[in-house]
Amino acid sequence: FRVYMMVANLEPLLAYFHEGFLRLSMFEYERTSTTLMSHITNTQLAKNNKGAKGGLSLDEQMWSFEKLNSFLNNEFTDLRSDWVYNFLTPEMKRIMIHMVRMSRNEFIPHPGLFEIWGCDFFVDANFKVWFIECNGSPAYQATTKEKGIIQTAMLREAMELQFDIVKNGVETKYEVKSWEPIIDERKSSIEERYFGL
């Protein structure tokens, strides 16, 4: 999975989550397979092997969270209903909150600075969510129509929020639509102590 995290301000701390997409491997996963493309979901690898016999097309390789949720609801009836929205995204947000809070002292506390990260996760056979990495410079190439739609709306809203923060300070009047707040210290009068996961 690739999702996005934005730290919009440091004092007070404002951090947001944005849905991304699921990347599937080009070929059906088999634990003992020696075919690299059955283990890796890298977009560049998929682009380089788009004509591979039996493999997925680039558009088939990326799914929205909505498409995944629908698939799981239909195919895994023993799994909690709407698992993507009731378990997966809350778990991703919990991990992101930890990442922001543990790294807070490393950020540059300058008004007008913000950053968007691409955060990668995977889910194992037992549906446990695992954090892989956080990329400080995620690619914003619309390699598929779905990805282009997600990223265009995401970046537009991030810019509008930042312009409003520069104009109005942290008492921003901008109503965030697709970015979900995961930390908003403006709403807390007493600073919460952080003890990790």
Side-chain angles (χ1 to χ4, degrees):
F1 294 91
R2 162 60 58 89
V3 294
Y4 299 93
M5 176 177 69
M6 174 173 56
V7 174
N9 197 71
L10 284 177
E11 295 297 335
L13 184 59
L14 303 174
Y16 296 86
F17 165 88
H18 196 285
E19 269 186 30
F21 47 87
L22 164 69
R23 284 190 288 218
L24 302 171
S25 58
M26 292 294 289
F27 293 92
E28 188 171 341
Y29 172 77
E30 291 180 34
R31 193 171 59 84
T32 58
S33 174
T34 58
T35 303
L36 186 62
M37 290 183 297
S38 72
H39 296 279
I40 297 179
T41 62
N42 182 281
T43 302
Q44 187 61 44
L45 188 64
K47 281 177 17 181
N48 292 341
N49 292 282
K50 59 184 171 186
K53 186 178 178 183
L56 295 175
S57 72
L58 205 54
D59 284 330
E60 293 171 315
Q61 190 206 19
M62 292 190 186
W63 286 15
S64 67
F65 277 33
E66 187 177 340
K67 182 174 181 176
L68 172 64
N69 194 59
S70 178
F71 171 79
L72 292 176
N73 282 342
N74 292 328
E75 300 296 323
F76 291 85
T77 54
D78 57 330
L79 196 61
R80 187 184 333 174
S81 179
D82 294 329
W83 181 84
V84 169
Y85 299 110
N86 292 324
F87 181 78
L88 177 65
T89 54
E91 183 64 7
M92 289 174 166
K93 291 174 191 176
R94 186 185 70 80
I95 293 167
M96 291 170 138
I97 289 168
H98 173 70
M99 288 189 303
V100 170
R101 288 188 168 161
M102 75 176 205
S103 305
R104 182 180 193 160
N105 294 333
E106 302 302 317
F107 298 139
I108 300 170
H110 190 279
L113 284 184
F114 73 99
E115 189 156 1
I116 298 174
W117 287 273
C119 300
D120 296 336
F121 295 85
F122 80 93
V123 174
D124 67 20
N126 297 314
F127 290 93
K128 178 167 174 41
V129 179
W130 296 89
F131 170 68
I132 301 172
E133 65 179 344
C134 196
N135 297 294
S137 299
Y140 296 117
Q141 299 163 329
T143 49
T144 68
K145 182 179 179 182
E146 184 101 33
K147 186 177 177 185
I149 291 168
I150 291 169
Q151 290 180 336
T152 300
M154 175 189 78
L155 292 172
R156 180 179 294 118
E157 189 173 24
M159 292 291 107
E160 289 172 359
L161 173 63
Q162 287 307 313
F163 287 138
D164 198 61
I165 288 174
V166 168
K167 181 180 175 187
N168 297 311
V170 292
E171 296 309 317
T172 176
K173 307 292 186 254
Y174 184 75
E175 275 192 49
V176 181
K177 297 171 190 75
S178 63
W179 285 95
E180 298 175 51
I182 55 173
I183 301 173
D184 186 347
E185 287 184 346
R186 297 172 302 178
K187 296 180 179 179
S188 171
S189 58
I190 300 172
E191 186 177 340
E192 296 175 23
R193 293 191 66 200
Y194 178 62
F195 298 102
L197 290 175

